Amino acid sequence: MSRSRNTNRLAKKIRAQTSLTLSAASRLAQQANVYLGSSVEDSPNPQQSRLEAHVAHVLASSFQDRQLNGALLGVEEAQPENQGLKLILESNMANEVLRELLPRFDHFYGGIRGVPGLRIRGSNRRVALHDALSSAQVTVMRADHGAMRLPSARDGEVLLWKRVPGVLTRNERQEAAEWADSRAIVDLRVRDVLLSRILRWPGLVNRTAKPHGFANCYTHHSGDLVIEWCCGDTVETLCANLLAHGFADGLPRERAIELISRYSAHLGDRTVILNRHGSCFYGREGEKIAQRIRKHYGS
C-alpha cells in the first residue's frame, strides 16, 4: 500500500477517535513513522490494569531523568503473559526497578514508598511481583538474563514485602484504597488503561529517550504521568505513532488527545502529558551524564 494511502487511512482513524479537526489529524498522520500498527493488547481485567498503572506511576516518580540506554522507566520490552505482564528490564537498572516497586515504610519520608500490597515469588532470574489482594501480577527479568538482587533495607526503612509477606499492613491498605478510589480523578478507568499502555508499549515511548539515552519522567499526583525530552521525535510525531498503534482505542473521544502547542500534548484528559523542549538540554554532555547514571546503578 502506498505511503499516501496509509497516511489517509491513519488520518481518518485519528479523526474518528479524537476531537481533532481533519486538518490536524492529517498533519499528525503525515508525521507518523508507522501506519496503523497492531493495537496495544490491554490487560484482561481491571485489577491487572490498575496494578500496571500503579507500577508505571511509581517508576516515573522514582526514575525521573535517570534512565539508561533509552529504556524509559527501566523497561526495554513488555510481553503479555497469561493473565499478567512480563517486563524485560534494562540490566543496569533492573535491581533499582525492583527496589522502587517493592513496598517499604520510610520513616524519614513518613509513609510508604513503592506499590502497596506488592509481594514476590519465583526465582532470582524471573521475579513475579504479585498483588496480595488480587490475581494481578507483573513478572520482571533482566535483559541479559542475569540474576536479580532483592533489595535490603536502608536506614530508616522497613521492608513491608518481606516483613508481612501474606497480608497488607494498615498503611498499605490505606494507600491501595486511595489509588483505587482517587476522588479527584474524573475517570479512573482512563488513568489505569493509559498508564498501563505506557508500560505495555515501550517500543514507542522509549523513542523519547533514545537520542541521549534518557528522558525525564515525573508525576504531579495519582492521576498523571509526564514525559519530557528535548531531541528526536516531535510531540506530534510521537502522538501520531501512539495513535496509529491504538493508544487512544476505547477512550472517550473528547478526552483522547489535546494538542496544547508545538511542544506539548495531553492524552486522556491530562493522564499522559508529553512535553518536548525547543532546544537540546544536554548536547555533548549527554554521554557524561549517562556515565554518572551508570556509575550510580553500579554502586
Side-chain angles (χ1 to χ4, degrees), residues 54 98-107 109-120 129-132 150-154 156-176:
H54 210 162
L98 194 58
R99 169 176 174 77
E100 293 296 345
L101 291 179
L102 288 172
R104 68 258 187 218
F105 189 90
D106 185 336
H107 287 281
Y109 172 64
I112 291 177
R113 296 188 184 274
V115 179
L118 207 60
R119 299 295 187 263
I120 63 170
L129 306 174
H130 68 94
D131 179 17
L150 293 180
S152 57
R154 294 177 180 172
E157 290 184 345
V158 176
L159 303 182
L160 300 177
W161 58 272
K162 192 173 185 179
R163 185 172 180 180
V164 282
V167 296
L168 272 67
T169 64
R170 179 174 57 84
N171 287 335
E172 281 186 288
R173 287 186 179 278
Q174 181 178 348
E175 291 271 348

Side-chain angles (χ1 to χ4, degrees), residues 22-71:
L22 181 58
S23 61
S26 298
R27 187 176 73 248
L28 262 64
Q30 289 168 8
Q31 299 178 62
N33 304 112
V34 293
Y35 299 95
L36 296 175
S38 57
S39 295
V40 177
E41 185 177 342
D42 284 326
S43 309
N45 60 64
Q47 290 82 12
Q48 181 68 29
S49 290
R50 187 145 295 169
L51 174 62
E52 292 173 17
H54 210 162
V55 166
H57 195 267
V58 165
L59 293 179
S61 301
S62 303
F63 282 107
Q64 299 183 9
D65 59 357
R66 296 186 296 116
Q67 290 91 19
L68 276 175
N69 300 322

